[in-house]
Amino acid sequence: MGVGATLEYFSDLLISKKGKKKKHLQTVDLKVRMDCEGCELKVKKALSSLKGVKSVDINLKQQKASVTGYADAKKVLKKARSTGKKAELWPYVPYNLVAHPYVAQVYDKKAPPGYVRGSENPAITGMSPVEEQYTTMFSDENPNACSIM
């Protein structure tokens, strides 16, 4: 622990109020159904009006809204739904983080390119020891890999 971290720790102890948690800067990603620039503007204006929001980025093609600031995720989602648009927390994860991206619970035709639906099932998201052994056997990163290929 460095000097800076120690000073930050003590300043947090002195400044913090009892019973009140300090909010952390976070980015909340939402999937919001938007059809045109008018919808985009309406959602952006509503999300920007939240207290603690620093920036709002909208990607109309991916139907994604990214809110950066000190706002709570539940409040951001509630505000997005108050515009009359269908909204949910961003359900997708990058394609390369899932071991079996074409399993029925993960694959989603509506997902943006390079993304699949996130899953909590460890059988889908992780590889079994046998699969991992075969994957690393033919890996370019393994110096003892099979050189047939």
Side-chain angles (χ1 to χ4, degrees), residues 3 18-19 32 48 56 68 77 95 126 138-139 146:
V3 175
K18 278 192 171 182
V32 183
S48 297
V56 177
T68 304
L77 182 60
Y95 179 85
F138 295 102
S139 173
C146 182

Side-chain angles (χ1 to χ4, degrees), residues 18-52:
K18 278 192 171 182
K20 208 171 197 185
K21 287 186 178 179
K22 184 177 178 183
K23 292 184 181 178
H24 298 285
L25 184 68
Q26 65 178 352
T27 300
V28 179
D29 292 328
L30 301 172
K31 179 181 179 184
V32 183
R33 178 81 174 118
M34 297 175 282
D35 300 319
C36 61
E37 285 84 23
C39 297
E40 178 185 356
L41 189 63
K42 183 178 182 179
V43 170
K44 188 170 187 168
K45 186 176 179 183
L47 293 175
S48 297
S49 69
L50 274 172
K51 184 180 177 184

Side-chain angles (χ1 to χ4, degrees), residues 2-138:
V3 175
T6 306
L7 290 175
E8 185 178 338
Y9 173 75
F10 285 125
S11 68
D12 285 345
L13 285 176
L14 295 174
I15 294 173
S16 66
K17 297 173 184 159
K18 278 192 171 182
K20 208 171 197 185
K21 287 186 178 179
K22 184 177 178 183
K23 292 184 181 178
H24 298 285
L25 184 68
Q26 65 178 352
T27 300
V28 179
D29 292 328
L30 301 172
K31 179 181 179 184
V32 183
R33 178 81 174 118
M34 297 175 282
D35 300 319
C36 61
E37 285 84 23
C39 297
E40 178 185 356
L41 189 63
K42 183 178 182 179
V43 170
K44 188 170 187 168
K45 186 176 179 183
L47 293 175
S48 297
S49 69
L50 274 172
K51 184 180 177 184
V53 171
K54 299 295 179 191
S55 69
V56 177
D57 297 321
I58 305 279
N59 187 334
L60 190 60
K61 187 175 181 182
Q62 289 187 343
Q63 306 272 317
K64 183 177 183 179
S66 297
V67 179
T68 304
Y70 296 96
D72 183 37
K74 291 179 183 178
K75 289 181 182 179
V76 172
L77 182 60
K78 186 176 179 181
K79 190 67 167 181
R81 287 182 177 160
S82 73
T83 62
K85 306 293 177 194
K86 184 179 176 186
E88 62 179 319
L89 292 175
W90 188 251
Y92 304 117
V93 295
Y95 179 85
N96 58 352
L97 295 180
V98 179
H100 305 287
Y102 293 109
V103 175
Q105 295 92 353
V106 175
Y107 184 72
D108 188 0
K109 291 180 185 177
K110 297 176 184 176
Y115 289 94
V116 293
R117 191 167 279 278
S119 174
E120 298 297 322
N121 188 349
I124 295 171
T125 56
M127 286 191 225
S128 70
V130 175
E131 288 175 322
E132 194 166 341
Q133 179 184 7
Y134 286 128
T135 304
T136 56
M137 185 184 303
F138 295 102

